[in-house]
């Protein structure tokens, strides 16, 4: 029996390996602990009280952890973790618990996994590979511990290797998504800033030098972040600045020390030629980058800007100009303006005149004849004695320039009834089209006007008041644009589409009833629309309709059904004005 136990123990020792890491993570409602062991391992477990502890013994293993005690766990019900090489062939891992917790333990392809009840809810993961707490001397090892990264840092395996893009990353505004640096997970608790910088230098492979004013203790927890982004955020938090030179050396200095050094740094003068923008526009963007001693000068004739400042500002200005001074796309805007004015007029009327050849006559519609004598038109004859009847109907409402006139005459004894039937149907149609075309830079406004500039006179009558003698009202003349006015601002997107800001106006002017000048009648429409290159946008709906109807006739008779139309003059007029604007943008390519 003894020989069998000895054989089993020797086999376990032969199969065992180093304990490389203890990781604590939150899984569902449990605290999951993975004890990583390289190679097969056998375990035993038991609990203790005063305080509550869970003990896991790993037979046939060697302790390759960086230290014997980790006091910075404090999550998932675990206060701290202690490890030791309990015997030559056994590693003891002790979990100090806040309270007595239920647990299960089982082997895992990576070692041994312990699942405990989680009394605290979700928490950030923890690992012995990134813990910075030092509570005892490093655990003795017979072989070097396999490193996951550099020093005591844990590398996220999904992060790509560092590339040339990360150079000077500490002075840029690259975000987490833009950085391609390796990911780091690390925790610090009251660690000197010099030790923190050493850890980052060891992990990144960079040379990091701290200035004389860089002091203090750092407490931070970084989980799965690019190392350059994490270092920049940490330095900013503690009032420090990191600068990387062309040789890849990162200098960490205090912000105050940096400002003091820049106050005595020599001024450098550099001239920058602007190719596509204007020097005035560029100078406004450069001004916020200057120090208190800096100055920017604009050369209007040569379209250059001259910057006088320290080298750091010169580098920032050069980078800014590389992004700003680029060729701006041009957009050709084709416009078709269609203006249609349609007027429909419909007129119909009947006029009557009753004459007495031996008495009263109005002679308004035609000449007359009385007592054997001709009477000219528009000469009225009045009989003062005897009986006579004369009448007029709609004589004053006859149509002007009728298309059809019908004359009838009825003689009854000495009376004559003359009637005129006038009819008019007319349609006036005018179609005005304009096709202006222009080219404009991207993001710049373009204006098109097809109309007139009307002078408007205004009189300042207030200068003549107050009893002042010898002061006359002053007249001022201003201009007012009327007609069809179109404002277009194109914005070319990265995928070739064009965002158009459109505003269309149709206006006209008419004299006011008083001496204030003119009244401007305006119809406006504005929109923002995204179109493809060469796609047409239509402005419609700027339509104005006006309908006028008038009727005059003989009272009572004009209201009779069916025959009432023969005793009235009716006029109907409809005016409709339509405006259609078509806009087609084209992006002009370099070729």
């Amino acid at each position: 029996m003894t020989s069998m136990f000895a054989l089993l123990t020797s086999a376990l020792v032969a199969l065992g390996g180093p304990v490389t890491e203890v990781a604590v993570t939150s899984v569902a409602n449990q605290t999951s602990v993975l004890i990583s062991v390289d190679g097969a391992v056998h375990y035993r477990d038991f609990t203790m009280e005063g305080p509550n502890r869970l003990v896991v013994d790993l037979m046939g293993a060697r302790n390759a952890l960086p230290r014997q005690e980790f006091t910075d766990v404090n999550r998932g019900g675990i206060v701290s973790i202690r490890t030791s090489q309990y015997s030559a062939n056994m590693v003891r891992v002790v979990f100090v618990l806040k309270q007595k917790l239920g647990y299960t333990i089982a082997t895992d392809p990576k070692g041994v996994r312990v699942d405990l009840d989680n009394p605290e809810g979700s928490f950030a993961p923890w690992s012995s590979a990134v813990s910075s707490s030092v509570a005892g001397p490093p655990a003795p090892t017979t072989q070097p511990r396999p490193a996951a990264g550099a020093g005591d840092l844990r590398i996220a395996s999904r992060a790509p290797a560092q590339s040339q893009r990360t150079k000077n990353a500490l002075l840029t505004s690259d975000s987490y998504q833009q950085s391609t640096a390796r990911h780091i997970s690390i925790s610090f608790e009251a660690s000197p800033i010099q030790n923190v910088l050493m850890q980052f230098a060891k992990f990144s492979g960079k040379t990091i030098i701290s200035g004389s004013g860089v002091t203090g203790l750092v407490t931070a927890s970084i989980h799965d972040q690019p190392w350059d982004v994490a270092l920049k955020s940490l330095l900013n938090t503690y009032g420090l600045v990191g600068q990387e030179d062309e040789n890849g050396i990162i200098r960490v200095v205090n912000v105050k020390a940096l400002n003091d050094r820049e106050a005595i740094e020599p001024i450098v003068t550099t001239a920058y030629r602007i190719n596509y923008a204007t020097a005035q526009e560029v100078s406004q963007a450069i001004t916020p980058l200057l120090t208190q001693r800096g100055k920017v000068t604009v050369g209007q004739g040569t379209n250059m800007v001259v910057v006088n400042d320290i080298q750091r500002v010169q580098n920032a200005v050069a980078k800014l100009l590389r992004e700003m001074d680029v060729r701006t796309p041009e957009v050709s805007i084709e416009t078709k303006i269609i203006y249609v004015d349609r007027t429909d007029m419909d007129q119909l009327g009947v006029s009557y005149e009753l004459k007495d050849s031996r008495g009263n006559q109005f002679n308004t519609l035609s000449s007359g004849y009385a007592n054997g004598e001709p009477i000219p038109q528009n000469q009225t004859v009045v009989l003062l004695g005897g009986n006579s009847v004369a009448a007029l109907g709609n004589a004053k409402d006859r149509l002007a320039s009728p298309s059809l006139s019908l004359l009838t005459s009825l003689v009854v004894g000495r009376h004559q009834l003359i009637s005129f039937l006038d009819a008019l149907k007319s349609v006036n149609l005018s179609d005005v089209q304009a096709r202006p075309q222009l080219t404009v830079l991207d993001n710049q406004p373009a204006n098109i006007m097809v109309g007139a500039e009307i002078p408007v006179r205004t009189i300042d009558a207030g200068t003549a008041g107050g009893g002042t003698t010898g002061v006359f009202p002053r007249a001022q003349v201003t201009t007012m644009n009327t007609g069809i006015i179109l404002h277009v601002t194109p914005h070319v997107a990265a995928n070739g589409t064009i965002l158009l800001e459109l505003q269309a106006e149709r206006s006209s002017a008419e004299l006011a009833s008083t001496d204030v000048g003119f009244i401007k009648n305006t119809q406006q429409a504005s929109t923002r629309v995204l179109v493809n290159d060469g796609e047409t946008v239509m402005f419609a709906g700027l339509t104005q309709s006006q309908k006028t109807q008038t009727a005059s006739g003989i009272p009572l008779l004009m209201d009779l059904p069916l025959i009432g139309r023969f005793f009235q003059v009716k006029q109907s007029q409809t005016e409709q004005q339509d405006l259609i604007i078509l806009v087609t943008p084209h992006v002009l390519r370099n070729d």
Side-chain angles (χ1 to χ4, degrees), residues 310-444:
I310 61 176
Q311 187 60 46
R312 177 183 64 82
V313 175
Q314 298 290 354
N315 296 338
V317 170
K319 179 181 178 182
L320 177 65
L321 292 181
R322 285 194 298 268
E323 298 177 358
M324 287 188 59
D325 190 22
V326 295
R327 180 167 181 171
T328 304
E330 292 182 319
V331 180
S332 175
I333 300 177
E334 299 179 0
T335 306
K336 185 174 183 180
I337 302 173
I338 304 173
Y339 177 61
V340 179
D341 189 352
R342 177 186 178 94
T343 302
D344 295 339
M345 187 165 54
D346 190 1
Q347 298 178 341
L348 178 64
V350 181
S351 303
Y352 303 93
E353 184 172 7
L354 180 63
K355 300 181 180 181
D356 188 349
S357 60
R358 288 182 291 177
N360 296 324
Q361 295 183 10
F362 288 101
N363 299 320
T364 299
L365 298 178
S366 62
S367 59
Y369 189 85
N371 298 322
E373 297 291 336
I375 307 300
Q377 190 175 354
N378 295 326
Q379 180 177 340
T380 302
V381 176
V382 180
L383 179 63
L384 296 179
N387 300 321
S388 180
V389 177
L392 282 175
N394 298 333
K396 299 297 183 181
D397 295 329
R398 287 199 62 188
L399 306 184
S401 303
S403 300
L404 174 64
S405 294
L406 179 63
L407 172 63
T408 61
S409 177
L410 177 62
V411 178
V412 180
R414 64 180 193 178
H415 290 84
Q416 183 181 17
L417 178 62
I418 300 175
S419 61
F420 287 87
L421 174 64
D422 298 324
L424 174 63
K425 175 70 175 181
S426 66
V427 177
N428 296 327
L429 179 65
S430 61
D431 186 356
V432 180
Q433 296 189 12
R435 303 193 67 168
Q437 181 176 351
L438 51 83
T439 301
V440 64
L441 287 174
D442 184 25
N443 301 314
Q444 298 298 319

Side-chain angles (χ1 to χ4, degrees), residues 101-222:
L101 301 175
Y103 72 95
T104 58
I105 186 169
T107 57
D108 186 271
K110 296 182 180 179
V112 176
R113 182 174 299 277
V114 182
D115 294 325
L116 300 95
D117 295 337
N118 183 3
E120 300 178 354
S122 179
F123 57 84
W126 177 92
S127 173
S128 61
V130 296
S131 174
S132 63
S133 63
V134 179
T141 57
T142 58
Q143 295 182 4
R145 179 174 63 92
D152 295 331
L153 308 182
R154 182 183 182 188
I155 306 170
S157 59
R158 64 178 179 84
Q162 184 181 10
S163 67
Q164 186 64 23
R165 287 185 54 193
T166 60
K167 189 171 184 178
N168 297 323
L170 297 179
L171 293 181
T172 65
S173 59
D174 289 346
S175 63
Y176 174 90
Q177 291 80 3
Q178 294 172 324
S179 177
T180 58
R182 298 162 64 191
H183 286 213
I184 182 175
S185 295
I186 189 169
S187 297
F188 303 102
E189 184 175 351
S191 299
I193 183 65
Q194 287 80 7
N195 293 347
V196 174
L197 297 179
M198 289 177 59
Q199 295 280 15
F200 274 95
K202 188 184 301 183
F203 177 82
S204 63
K206 294 280 187 178
T207 300
I208 301 179
I209 303 175
S210 61
S212 58
V214 180
T215 58
L217 301 178
V218 175
T219 299
S221 179
I222 302 170

Side-chain angles (χ1 to χ4, degrees), residues 279-572:
Q280 187 64 38
E281 295 174 345
V282 171
S283 66
Q284 296 177 1
I286 292 176
T287 301
L289 302 177
L290 303 179
T291 63
Q292 294 182 353
R293 298 188 297 156
K295 183 178 66 173
V296 58
T297 306
V298 177
Q300 299 288 356
T302 58
N303 200 37
M304 298 178 64
V305 291
V306 180
V307 179
N308 299 273
D309 215 319
I310 61 176
Q311 187 60 46
R312 177 183 64 82
V313 175
Q314 298 290 354
N315 296 338
V317 170
K319 179 181 178 182
L320 177 65
L321 292 181
R322 285 194 298 268
E323 298 177 358
M324 287 188 59
D325 190 22
V326 295
R327 180 167 181 171
T328 304
E330 292 182 319
V331 180
S332 175
I333 300 177
E334 299 179 0
T335 306
K336 185 174 183 180
I337 302 173
I338 304 173
Y339 177 61
V340 179
D341 189 352
R342 177 186 178 94
T343 302
D344 295 339
M345 187 165 54
D346 190 1
Q347 298 178 341
L348 178 64
V350 181
S351 303
Y352 303 93
E353 184 172 7
L354 180 63
K355 300 181 180 181
D356 188 349
S357 60
R358 288 182 291 177
N360 296 324
Q361 295 183 10
F362 288 101
N363 299 320
T364 299
L365 298 178
S366 62
S367 59
Y369 189 85
N371 298 322
E373 297 291 336
I375 307 300
Q377 190 175 354
N378 295 326
Q379 180 177 340
T380 302
V381 176
V382 180
L383 179 63
L384 296 179
N387 300 321
S388 180
V389 177
L392 282 175
N394 298 333
K396 299 297 183 181
D397 295 329
R398 287 199 62 188
L399 306 184
S401 303
S403 300
L404 174 64
S405 294
L406 179 63
L407 172 63
T408 61
S409 177
L410 177 62
V411 178
V412 180
R414 64 180 193 178
H415 290 84
Q416 183 181 17
L417 178 62
I418 300 175
S419 61
F420 287 87
L421 174 64
D422 298 324
L424 174 63
K425 175 70 175 181
S426 66
V427 177
N428 296 327
L429 179 65
S430 61
D431 186 356
V432 180
Q433 296 189 12
R435 303 193 67 168
Q437 181 176 351
L438 51 83
T439 301
V440 64
L441 287 174
D442 184 25
N443 301 314
Q444 298 298 319
N447 302 318
I448 299 174
M449 187 186 78
V450 180
E453 192 175 70
I454 298 176
V456 179
R457 186 182 68 168
T458 58
I459 299 177
D460 185 5
T463 56
T468 306
T469 59
V471 180
F472 297 94
R474 291 180 300 178
Q476 296 180 348
V477 177
T478 59
T479 58
M480 177 174 57
N481 294 328
T482 61
I484 300 173
I485 303 174
L486 182 65
H487 303 280
V488 183
T489 302
H491 305 281
V492 180
N495 58 356
T497 58
I498 305 171
L499 175 64
L500 290 180
E501 296 183 8
L502 296 171
Q503 181 177 356
E505 174 185 321
R506 175 179 173 271
S507 58
S508 61
E510 62 181 20
L511 286 172
S513 57
T514 61
D515 60 353
V516 296
F518 288 84
I519 297 177
K520 185 178 181 181
N521 301 318
T522 306
Q523 294 172 286
Q524 288 185 344
S526 60
T527 186
R528 288 164 54 95
V529 61
L530 187 65
V531 298
N532 296 321
D533 188 1
E535 189 175 356
T536 299
V537 179
M538 181 177 67
F539 260 95
L542 299 178
T543 301
Q544 182 177 3
S545 299
Q546 182 177 358
K547 187 173 183 179
T548 305
Q549 288 184 344
T550 59
S552 61
I554 302 174
L556 299 179
L557 296 179
M558 64 177 293
D559 297 327
L560 295 176
L562 299 179
I563 63 173
R565 68 184 63 183
F566 298 109
F567 302 96
Q568 64 178 344
V569 175
K570 188 175 182 180
Q571 299 180 358
S572 178

